[in-house]
mmCIF file of all heavy atoms in Angstrom:
data_model
loop_
_atom_site.group_PDB
_atom_site.id
_atom_site.type_symbol
_atom_site.label_atom_id
_atom_site.label_comp_id
_atom_site.label_asym_id
_atom_site.label_seq_id
_atom_site.Cartn_x
_atom_site.Cartn_y
_atom_site.Cartn_z
ATOM 1 N N LEU X 18 25.412 5.375 16.691
ATOM 2 C CA LEU X 18 24.682 5.399 17.958
ATOM 3 C C LEU X 18 23.729 4.216 18.036
ATOM 4 O O LEU X 18 23.178 3.788 17.012
ATOM 5 C CB LEU X 18 23.852 6.690 18.078
ATOM 6 C CG LEU X 18 24.606 8.012 18.145
ATOM 7 C CD1 LEU X 18 23.602 9.148 18.151
ATOM 8 C CD2 LEU X 18 25.477 8.068 19.377
ATOM 9 N N PRO X 19 23.486 3.697 19.234
ATOM 10 C CA PRO X 19 22.405 2.717 19.379
ATOM 11 C C PRO X 19 21.094 3.372 18.981
ATOM 12 O O PRO X 19 20.838 4.530 19.316
ATOM 13 C CB PRO X 19 22.424 2.380 20.880
ATOM 14 C CG PRO X 19 23.764 2.810 21.361
ATOM 15 C CD PRO X 19 24.170 3.974 20.513
ATOM 16 N N PHE X 20 20.271 2.649 18.233
ATOM 17 C CA PHE X 20 19.036 3.254 17.748
ATOM 18 C C PHE X 20 18.164 3.724 18.892
ATOM 19 O O PHE X 20 17.505 4.760 18.818
ATOM 20 C CB PHE X 20 18.262 2.253 16.881
ATOM 21 C CG PHE X 20 17.100 2.868 16.157
ATOM 22 C CD1 PHE X 20 17.301 3.574 14.979
ATOM 23 C CD2 PHE X 20 15.813 2.772 16.656
ATOM 24 C CE1 PHE X 20 16.246 4.158 14.313
ATOM 25 C CE2 PHE X 20 14.744 3.353 15.989
ATOM 26 C CZ PHE X 20 14.963 4.045 14.818
ATOM 27 N N ASP X 21 18.177 2.987 20.017
ATOM 28 C CA ASP X 21 17.295 3.343 21.120
ATOM 29 C C ASP X 21 17.860 4.466 21.982
ATOM 30 O O ASP X 21 17.315 4.793 23.024
ATOM 31 C CB ASP X 21 16.965 2.133 21.994
ATOM 32 C CG ASP X 21 18.211 1.446 22.539
ATOM 33 O OD1 ASP X 21 19.308 2.004 22.339
ATOM 34 O OD2 ASP X 21 18.068 0.369 23.141
ATOM 35 N N ALA X 22 18.954 5.075 21.537
ATOM 36 C CA ALA X 22 19.451 6.226 22.276
ATOM 37 C C ALA X 22 18.436 7.367 22.221
ATOM 38 O O ALA X 22 18.292 8.128 23.169
ATOM 39 C CB ALA X 22 20.793 6.698 21.704
ATOM 40 N N GLU X 23 17.741 7.517 21.097
ATOM 41 C CA GLU X 23 16.731 8.560 20.975
ATOM 42 C C GLU X 23 15.401 8.024 20.458
ATOM 43 O O GLU X 23 14.428 8.758 20.385
ATOM 44 C CB GLU X 23 17.219 9.663 20.023
ATOM 45 C CG GLU X 23 18.418 10.437 20.527
ATOM 46 C CD GLU X 23 18.774 11.579 19.603
ATOM 47 O OE1 GLU X 23 18.007 11.852 18.660
ATOM 48 O OE2 GLU X 23 19.831 12.206 19.815
ATOM 49 N N HIS X 24 15.363 6.773 20.080
ATOM 50 C CA HIS X 24 14.170 6.206 19.465
ATOM 51 C C HIS X 24 13.926 4.821 20.051
ATOM 52 O O HIS X 24 14.721 4.308 20.820
ATOM 53 C CB HIS X 24 14.336 6.076 17.945
ATOM 54 C CG HIS X 24 14.865 7.315 17.283
ATOM 55 N ND1 HIS X 24 16.211 7.609 17.206
ATOM 56 C CD2 HIS X 24 14.225 8.340 16.678
ATOM 57 C CE1 HIS X 24 16.377 8.755 16.578
ATOM 58 N NE2 HIS X 24 15.196 9.222 16.256
ATOM 59 N N ASP X 25 12.824 4.210 19.644
ATOM 60 C CA ASP X 25 12.650 2.789 19.890
ATOM 61 C C ASP X 25 12.305 2.139 18.555
ATOM 62 O O ASP X 25 12.106 2.821 17.549
ATOM 63 C CB ASP X 25 11.568 2.520 20.946
ATOM 64 C CG ASP X 25 10.217 3.102 20.552
ATOM 65 O OD1 ASP X 25 9.858 3.011 19.361
ATOM 66 O OD2 ASP X 25 9.532 3.636 21.433
ATOM 67 N N GLU X 26 12.242 0.817 18.534
ATOM 68 C CA GLU X 26 12.088 0.143 17.249
ATOM 69 C C GLU X 26 10.701 0.321 16.653
ATOM 70 O O GLU X 26 10.481 0.036 15.485
ATOM 71 C CB GLU X 26 12.456 -1.333 17.389
ATOM 72 C CG GLU X 26 13.964 -1.512 17.509
ATOM 73 C CD GLU X 26 14.418 -2.954 17.425
ATOM 74 O OE1 GLU X 26 13.848 -3.791 18.134
ATOM 75 O OE2 GLU X 26 15.341 -3.219 16.658
ATOM 76 N N ALA X 27 9.737 0.798 17.446
ATOM 77 C CA ALA X 27 8.433 1.134 16.872
ATOM 78 C C ALA X 27 8.583 2.272 15.868
ATOM 79 O O ALA X 27 7.877 2.326 14.857
ATOM 80 C CB ALA X 27 7.446 1.519 17.973
ATOM 81 N N ILE X 28 9.521 3.194 16.152
ATOM 82 C CA ILE X 28 9.768 4.288 15.211
ATOM 83 C C ILE X 28 10.383 3.740 13.927
ATOM 84 O O ILE X 28 10.033 4.150 12.819
ATOM 85 C CB ILE X 28 10.695 5.341 15.838
ATOM 86 C CG1 ILE X 28 10.053 5.941 17.090
ATOM 87 C CG2 ILE X 28 11.016 6.439 14.838
ATOM 88 C CD1 ILE X 28 8.770 6.673 16.849
ATOM 89 N N LEU X 29 11.320 2.792 14.061
ATOM 90 C CA LEU X 29 11.912 2.172 12.882
ATOM 91 C C LEU X 29 10.834 1.469 12.059
ATOM 92 O O LEU X 29 10.820 1.552 10.824
ATOM 93 C CB LEU X 29 12.999 1.174 13.288
ATOM 94 C CG LEU X 29 13.685 0.412 12.148
ATOM 95 C CD1 LEU X 29 14.289 1.357 11.129
ATOM 96 C CD2 LEU X 29 14.745 -0.533 12.709
ATOM 97 N N GLU X 30 9.906 0.794 12.730
ATOM 98 C CA GLU X 30 8.798 0.131 12.029
ATOM 99 C C GLU X 30 7.989 1.155 11.240
ATOM 100 O O GLU X 30 7.620 0.915 10.082
ATOM 101 C CB GLU X 30 7.901 -0.583 13.040
ATOM 102 C CG GLU X 30 6.686 -1.261 12.415
ATOM 103 C CD GLU X 30 5.755 -1.808 13.478
ATOM 104 O OE1 GLU X 30 6.236 -2.401 14.460
ATOM 105 O OE2 GLU X 30 4.523 -1.631 13.324
ATOM 106 N N GLU X 31 7.727 2.309 11.853
ATOM 107 C CA GLU X 31 6.960 3.357 11.176
ATOM 108 C C GLU X 31 7.722 3.888 9.965
ATOM 109 O O GLU X 31 7.155 4.111 8.898
ATOM 110 C CB GLU X 31 6.665 4.489 12.157
ATOM 111 C CG GLU X 31 5.790 5.592 11.589
ATOM 112 C CD GLU X 31 5.433 6.627 12.634
ATOM 113 O OE1 GLU X 31 5.326 6.264 13.825
ATOM 114 O OE2 GLU X 31 5.269 7.798 12.256
ATOM 115 N N TRP X 32 9.048 4.083 10.134
ATOM 116 C CA TRP X 32 9.853 4.555 9.016
ATOM 117 C C TRP X 32 9.833 3.547 7.864
ATOM 118 O O TRP X 32 9.727 3.924 6.697
ATOM 119 C CB TRP X 32 11.295 4.784 9.474
ATOM 120 C CG TRP X 32 11.475 5.999 10.336
ATOM 121 C CD1 TRP X 32 10.537 6.933 10.666
ATOM 122 C CD2 TRP X 32 12.677 6.411 10.992
ATOM 123 N NE1 TRP X 32 11.073 7.887 11.480
ATOM 124 C CE2 TRP X 32 12.386 7.606 11.708
ATOM 125 C CE3 TRP X 32 13.958 5.889 11.059
ATOM 126 C CZ2 TRP X 32 13.343 8.277 12.463
ATOM 127 C CZ3 TRP X 32 14.915 6.554 11.819
ATOM 128 C CH2 TRP X 32 14.605 7.739 12.507
#
Side-chain angles (χ1 to χ4, degrees):
L18 296 176
F20 190 81
D21 56 7
E23 294 185 8
H24 312 84
D25 58 40
E26 286 189 311
I28 299 298
L29 178 56
E30 178 187 317
E31 184 175 329
W32 287 355

